[in-house]
Amino acid sequence: MYAKKSLWVAAGLAGAAVAVRMARTPGAASSAHRWLAVTVNCEPEDLRPDKLPSPLQEYGERIETRISAAPADRGTELAVRFRQPPPELARSVPARLAGQDPRQDLRRALRESKALLEAGEVLVPDEPTTHDTPGGKVIGLFSRRASGEGVL
């Protein structure tokens, strides 16, 4: 029985080593420089890089913008990315959990821009109705994190 557990631990450590090596490859570094995109319900000619909504205008020359027709005539694809990728420390897991990853703010600005273009305002959900319990604190943490990552 002990030999089986040792085998599983060794396999897990080998898998972790492969994952760490993959994370440090040049391809993984370029993923930090990928485009963030949303599909907006408007025509491509209605959207211009010099007339973006205010959440994206605040970034000025720090971002690149790409506007194209969405597949299957479903509106316009608005994509943005930083001209210079954020430093690796700013993209770390602790920075993401603390809400200090600059890509989280860019994601939020992109979602707010979509809302402004489609609805004319940014709709904000109500605060969760949780009590000050351990479970409620976990729900609150996930809810705050979701606004930066775009997912819960």
Side-chain angles (χ1 to χ4, degrees), residues 32-50:
H33 197 55
R34 67 177 182 238
W35 291 91
L36 303 171
V38 293
T39 301
V40 182
N41 188 17
C42 71
E43 296 299 319
E45 49 274 354
D46 294 342
L47 211 55
R48 294 188 2 218
D50 59 335

Side-chain angles (χ1 to χ4, degrees), residues 90-101 104 141-142 144-145 149:
R91 298 185 322 254
S92 67
V93 173
R96 286 179 59 201
L97 292 175
Q100 297 173 347
D101 184 347
Q104 291 175 334
L141 172 70
F142 285 140
R144 285 190 303 277
R145 185 179 183 280
E149 292 291 327

Side-chain angles (χ1 to χ4, degrees), residues 1 40 56 60 64-65 67 122:
M1 186 66 151
V40 182
L56 289 176
E64 296 178 70
T65 306
I67 298 170
V122 178

Side-chain angles (χ1 to χ4, degrees), residues 57-133:
Q57 281 182 359
E58 293 174 9
Y59 284 91
E61 294 296 316
R62 294 184 299 150
I63 60 171
E64 296 178 70
T65 306
R66 184 176 66 191
I67 298 170
S68 59
D73 282 337
R74 295 186 185 232
T76 303
E77 186 176 273
L78 173 61
V80 296
R81 72 176 176 183
F82 286 108
R83 290 190 187 275
Q84 296 294 322
E88 190 172 331
L89 184 60
R91 298 185 322 254
S92 67
V93 173
R96 286 179 59 201
L97 292 175
Q100 297 173 347
D101 184 347
R103 295 174 303 167
Q104 291 175 334
D105 291 331
L106 186 57
R107 284 185 194 103
R108 186 177 300 114
L110 189 60
R111 285 193 311 276
E112 289 176 1
S113 296
K114 174 184 169 71
L116 286 170
L117 289 165
E118 291 180 345
E121 65 179 315
V122 178
L123 301 174
V124 180
D126 292 338
E127 289 293 319
T129 56
T130 58
H131 300 285
D132 195 19
T133 64

Side-chain angles (χ1 to χ4, degrees), residues 15 22 99:
M22 287 173 57

